[in-house]
Amino acid sequence: MEKPLTGNFRSDKQAVSLEDYERAGGYQGLHKALTIAPADVGELVKKSGLRGRGGAGFPTGMKWSFVPMGKDAPHPKYLVVNADEMEPGTFKDRALMERDPHQLIEGVIVAAYAIEADIAYIFLRGEYVCSHDRLERALAEAKTKNYVGHNILGSGYNLEIHLHVSAGRYICGEETALLNALEGKRAHPRTKPPFPQVSGLFGKPTIVQNVETLCNVHHIVKNGPDWFRGLSKTEDGGTKLYGVSGKVKKPGLWELPMGTPMREILEDHAGGMRDGLHFRGLLPGGASTDFLIEEHLDTPMDYGNVQKAGSRLGTGTMVVLDDKTCPVGMVWNLEHFFAQESCGWCTPCWSGLSWTEKILLAMEQGKGSRQDLDTLTFQTKFLAPGNTFCAFAPGAVEPLQSALKYFGDDFRKHVDEQRCPWK
Amino acid sequence: MLTTEERQEIEEKIAEYPNRQAVSIDAMLAVQRHRGWVSDESLRDLSEVLGVSVADLDGVATFYNLIHRKPVGKHVALICDSVSCWLMGSDKVRDHLCARLSTPLGGTTADGRFTLLPIVCLGACDHAPTMMIDDELYEDLDEERIEEALTQYD
Ligand SMILES: Cc1cc2nc3c(=O)[nH]c(=O)nc-3n(C[C@H](O)[C@H](O)[C@H](O)COP(=O)(O)O)c2cc1C
Ligand code: SF4
Ligand code: FES
């Protein structure tokens, strides 16, 4: 099985060195890209079917096609790497940055070239200290090799890449909030339109792209769109980094064909549930995705199929709930996170989520009422898409609405017995 | 007053952006690297260097989780309280650490060595529960590992 993204990872968890990276074919995608017109690089990515790995799954090549190109385009244009990974339960981008930093850098350069960007920022979460150090070093190496900087490899193309260390806040991952953060402001999301592709960072055309997405780009240029599509089991191209956390035998992270069935990841790779525990449900792609349960385990993990099952692929890193853990407690933990991280810009979100959190906590403490259950249901509708300024709030109530659907008896038990049955 | 070193670090960052306001966060983090936190006085100094009002800078400072506007201990321990760690017993880890250091979450030890703070998912969920002390990530925490980790700090 081909593993373009993790195939070079070292077992001692050190970063792949520049020499090893080049020996394994690294920076050849860049060499090749520079012989092709920028718009044609974008065309290859479009044909590959690559979709964003940051959670929303937007087709990458299509996103680039909205950027004004050519002589009359405004400059500087920006490429921004979304390396703010803060979605609870998600641990894939950190692995890519720590273990193979040159792979990300090559992807950044090729993507930047495709949109004729002049400057790239890597927006990195502050706690990722090891990623920072390894990226900083790799960037310095790439500069001495003229992969980055002025007149890259004699092509006439110039690109600066800078690292921006964030000071931590989940909303910074939302792409327009991220742009405000990069401008040194409070990270409130911006109104769209205008879309960042046209007017983004400092008012200039900007593309924001997830780490894992970018790590694919130069492989596509080097090996072609058909190769990329062939890696996948379904119509969404490529491989995917899948993770499993929770009480399974072997929690971990694996690169597998896009569309690998959930059950296979859970049982063959994560080793199934720990002895004495049974599976109750999972969040397929981080905290802001709907729970799925036993009946969904044969779902291929890709964008379309997970959606059909009633959730989202999200980040592809699953969080597993077992039968000895209280689902209400788990949802309380999730809503505590969202209530805390709401940026406070619009009232339904900040007030609705802190209310939600309080109710869940009261239920856990044996103080909930039947009426509280109706309030929770009301919140899931009140914070649904369209009612708040950004996608944060709808994401925040996804685990709640699905928990009410699948674990409703557990919620009712809490209020009827005035206690948490797990305590 | 900002030190020459702090000034230099900030100026280096300014070179990477089209305007000075953009480095507000970098500048506060630079000060914090040297002093542990960002005082009112530091905000005034930064306001002059960056041409951003103190009120705006404070608005930014208070928005972000990792900028400390109050003094912290010599070392900062960040304990992950997000979902995967919670599933794996992060409550116990937190309680043990608080008892061991006789400090509630959010507090600083009497000897000023540690400040304990909650943090969201540290991106190591397959090795939950986790925490960071200063720049170091600690995984698969249990009482034994916590003891081991604490001995690394004076
Ligand atoms: C609240 C919120 C948080 C987000 N956090 C992240 C994040 O940490 N990393 C990320 O890549 N995308 C995150 N996204 C998605 C981004 O807004 C954006 O869609 C993505 O960076 C685009 O890149 P992609 O198309 O390569 O996935 C977040 C979105 C929302 C609404
Ligand atoms: S939905 Fe929440 S996170 Fe998004 S803008 Fe409103 S308050 Fe901020
Ligand atoms: S939830 Fe604690 S490291 Fe991810």
Side-chain angles (χ1 to χ4, degrees):
Chain A
M1 192 166 41
E2 257 186 298
K3 296 184 180 177
L5 301 182
T6 60
N8 294 333
F9 278 18
R10 292 166 54 121
S11 52
D12 65 2
K13 298 201 169 179
Q14 292 302 308
V16 177
S17 68
L18 177 59
E19 296 71 42
D20 287 346
Y21 184 69
E22 287 175 329
R23 208 171 302 133
Y27 287 108
Q28 284 175 18
L30 172 63
H31 277 278
K32 187 165 170 202
L34 294 173
T35 65
I36 310 173
D40 293 339
V41 173
E43 205 50 43
L44 289 175
V45 172
K46 208 184 228 174
K47 281 200 191 117
S48 75
L50 174 64
R51 295 175 64 173
R53 307 294 199 235
F58 197 82
T60 306
M62 187 182 334
K63 180 147 108 183
W64 297 357
S65 69
F66 301 123
V67 176
M69 298 287 282
K71 274 204 313 296
D72 300 328
H75 280 274
K77 285 195 253 181
Y78 297 100
L79 177 81
V80 177
V81 184
N82 194 340
D84 194 46
E85 188 166 76
M86 275 178 86
E87 175 85 16
T90 303
F91 49 99
K92 65 185 187 67
D93 296 340
R94 186 170 72 90
L96 289 167
M97 293 187 283
E98 285 184 6
R99 314 260 316 250
D100 202 353
H102 278 289
Q103 173 169 251
L104 173 61
I105 291 171
E106 184 177 4
V108 171
I109 307 164
V110 173
Y113 173 78
I115 59 161
E116 297 175 329
D118 310 270
I119 300 172
Y121 291 104
I122 302 176
F123 187 96
L124 182 65
R125 83 175 275 208
E127 295 90 336
Y128 281 8
V129 180
C130 176
S131 302
H132 175 270
D133 294 348
R134 292 183 181 183
L135 280 170
E136 192 170 49
R137 178 172 170 184
L139 268 176
E141 289 170 341
K143 265 183 217 161
T144 53
K145 286 273 193 153
N146 192 220
Y147 294 137
V148 180
H150 189 68
N151 191 16
I152 295 171
L153 302 174
S155 64
Y157 174 60
N158 308 322
L159 178 71
E160 288 170 33
I161 303 183
H162 302 298
L163 262 172
H164 172 94
V165 176
S166 176
R169 200 70 196 265
Y170 173 66
I171 194 62
C172 294
E174 196 282 334
E175 62 178 3
T176 60
L178 186 151
L179 298 178
N180 279 334
L182 257 181
E183 292 183 6
K185 300 170 182 161
R186 286 172 82 92
H188 296 299
R190 297 178 178 176
T191 321
K192 292 191 261 193
F195 287 91
Q197 292 94 313
V198 181
S199 174
L201 189 61
F202 304 108
K204 293 292 198 294
T206 305
I207 287 288
V208 180
Q209 214 79 63
N210 171 258
V211 169
E212 186 184 349
T213 312
L214 288 167
C215 286
N216 281 294
V217 166
H218 54 284
H219 293 296
I220 292 169
V221 173
K222 185 170 149 218
N223 300 315
D226 292 337
W227 165 84
F228 188 75
R229 286 185 171 280
L231 295 171
S232 162
K233 290 193 177 198
T234 58
E235 59 188 42
D236 297 320
T239 59
K240 176 78 193 77
L241 291 193
Y242 295 110
V244 178
S245 66
K247 290 191 174 157
V248 293
K249 287 206 181 84
K250 295 182 292 175
L253 185 71
W254 309 273
E255 180 180 10
L256 299 169
M258 177 67 86
T260 302
M262 219 172 264
R263 190 189 297 281
E264 188 180 323
I265 302 171
L266 220 52
E267 286 172 8
D268 297 355
H269 298 280
M273 300 306 291
R274 286 186 178 183
D275 292 334
L277 296 180
H278 294 279
F279 172 86
R280 280 211 75 191
L282 57 73
L283 304 169
S288 61
T289 57
D290 282 280
F291 277 97
L292 294 177
I293 54 170
E294 187 107 40
E295 70 187 60
H296 303 116
L297 282 180
D298 293 312
T299 307
M301 282 283 280
D302 67 6
Y303 301 93
N305 283 298
V306 179
Q307 193 157 10
K308 250 183 255 156
S311 186
R312 289 186 304 118
L313 178 64
T315 57
T317 42
M318 314 175 198
V319 184
V320 176
L321 170 67
D322 58 86
D323 65 339
K324 297 267 162 67
T325 301
C326 173
V328 179
M330 179 171 173
V331 176
W332 166 74
N333 175 279
L334 294 164
E335 298 310 326
H336 168 73
F337 165 83
F338 288 115
Q340 171 187 307
E341 292 297 323
S342 163
C343 87
W345 186 252
C346 52
T347 310
C349 173
W350 67 257
S351 97
L353 289 172
S354 33
W355 190 4
T356 301
E357 186 208 343
K358 277 207 190 82
I359 290 177
L360 290 164
L361 185 61
M363 281 184 184
E364 272 295 272
Q365 293 170 339
K367 292 183 249 166
S369 68
R370 280 268 170 165
Q371 204 183 339
D372 286 339
L373 289 173
D374 298 335
T375 309
L376 290 180
T377 307
F378 165 78
Q379 293 295 351
T380 62
K381 305 213 163 84
F382 193 54
L383 297 177
N387 296 345
T388 60
F389 193 67
C390 84
F392 172 97
V397 292
E398 280 177 33
L400 174 62
Q401 71 189 17
S402 45
L404 288 168
K405 180 157 108 198
Y406 298 126
F407 312 126
D409 285 344
D410 298 280
F411 282 81
R412 282 185 285 277
K413 240 181 166 169
H414 276 71
V415 299
D416 292 347
E417 296 180 14
Q418 290 288 292
R419 68 183 185 103
C420 170
W422 275 267
K423 276 187 189 137
Chain B
M1 260 217 333
L2 296 177
T3 62
T4 323
E5 213 181 342
E6 286 166 339
R7 256 179 194 281
Q8 197 179 337
E9 284 177 29
I10 293 167
E11 289 299 333
E12 270 169 28
K13 276 288 162 194
I14 288 173
E16 296 178 358
Y17 295 86
N19 67 45
R20 300 175 86 83
Q21 180 185 7
V23 304
S24 298
I25 294 157
D26 301 86
M28 288 190 269
L29 288 177
V31 166
Q32 189 165 290
R33 260 198 306 281
H34 293 282
R35 302 169 191 233
W37 66 297
V38 181
S39 66
D40 289 348
E41 190 202 336
S42 298
L43 276 192
R44 281 194 293 274
D45 295 338
L46 288 172
S47 164
E48 256 170 58
V49 176
L50 303 175
V52 177
S53 74
V54 172
D56 279 346
L57 279 180
D58 199 27
V60 171
T62 51
F63 189 87
Y64 295 91
N65 300 332
L66 297 177
I67 296 177
H68 308 309
R69 284 286 278 116
K70 284 191 206 145
V72 291
K74 189 167 170 197
H75 307 289
V76 177
L78 302 172
I79 304 143
C80 175
D81 67 1
S82 289
V83 65
S84 308
C85 287
W86 180 86
L87 286 165
M88 302 304 281
S90 58
D91 285 1
K92 280 205 199 89
V93 166
R94 176 202 59 207
D95 291 346
H96 176 74
L97 204 59
C98 289
R100 172 69 177 66
L101 297 173
S102 316
T103 312
L105 204 59
T108 299
T109 52
D111 59 6
R113 272 168 69 216
F114 290 101
T115 295
L116 302 184
L117 296 172
I119 192 79
V120 306
C121 177
L122 288 168
C125 326
D126 52 343
H127 289 284
T130 66
M131 70 170 173
M132 273 185 96
I133 302 183
D134 298 340
D135 288 350
E136 208 61 46
L137 176 68
Y138 295 93
E139 304 179 320
D140 302 308
L141 291 179
D142 53 23
E143 295 193 5
E144 209 173 307
R145 275 182 186 267
I146 291 173
E147 286 310 314
E148 263 172 45
L150 290 179
T151 58
Q152 311 290 311
Y153 301 87
D154 54 9

